[in-house]
Amino acid sequence: MKKSWIISLLTSFVLIGGVLLSPAASANAANAATSTYSDQSYEEFKEYTTQLFALETYEAKAFTALESIDTQVTSTNRKSMYLKLTNTVIPNYTKLVSKAKQIKPTNPKIKKIHDIFYQGKLHSARGVPPVPKGSIQEQSELHVTKTG
């Protein structure tokens, strides 16, 4: 029992001993690894997210108005539904898409993310879900023919 305890203690010391004996070197290594990752990339990402959060107000206004609309159109609510859609939902979502288009990230990875974000918002504004690339060609190859 005592031997296993001593072996365990020695193993623990060997594994973490380097950190305990030279904490300053370990801390400097951690700082160097973090800073070499790219402070510039972090700042670009931070700037990008700030620009995205500025768009949140347009989306929030559009969704708040959309949530207040009943799900069924009746003779009593059709005019209010139309007015909310044309005066609040569509203009705010259009502003969201146009402002999102104006965001031009310089980092290629952030640009790739933003392109996906923008395409998603554009499709949402159009009311059309994104379609996978292969399915468009397959659908265009289907032809309806009249017989007889």
Side-chain angles (χ1 to χ4, degrees), residues 29-147:
N31 287 338
T34 309
S35 64
T36 56
Y37 175 68
S38 179
D39 288 338
Q40 183 180 2
S41 294
Y42 175 74
E43 289 301 319
E44 289 173 350
F45 183 72
K46 193 173 166 184
E47 181 182 329
Y48 173 69
T49 55
T50 303
Q51 291 173 342
L52 283 184
F53 287 137
L55 303 178
E56 185 180 10
T57 57
Y58 299 114
E59 192 168 34
K61 286 178 187 176
F63 280 129
T64 302
L66 197 58
E67 288 173 348
S68 70
I69 297 173
D70 291 334
T71 56
Q72 288 188 328
V73 179
T74 62
S75 60
T76 58
N77 71 355
R78 67 181 174 81
K79 187 173 183 177
S80 67
M81 288 178 75
Y82 175 78
L83 291 174
K84 284 181 183 177
L85 285 171
T86 56
N87 294 338
T88 308
V89 176
I90 295 171
N92 277 298
Y93 219 82
T94 304
K95 283 181 190 175
L96 170 78
V97 171
S98 67
K99 299 258 185 202
K101 187 176 183 177
Q102 293 173 1
I103 298 174
K104 305 286 185 200
T106 55
N107 185 317
K109 290 180 181 178
I110 297 174
K111 184 177 178 353
K112 196 176 206 180
I113 293 168
H114 181 70
D115 289 344
I116 294 168
F117 170 80
Y118 174 72
Q119 288 300 318
K121 293 300 175 187
L122 188 61
H123 286 298
S124 293
R126 291 180 180 166
V128 179
V131 179
K133 290 180 182 178
S135 64
I136 293 173
Q137 184 179 7
E138 293 168 6
Q139 288 176 1
S140 66
E141 292 174 0
L142 296 175
H143 298 290
V144 177
T145 57
K146 269 188 165 176
T147 56

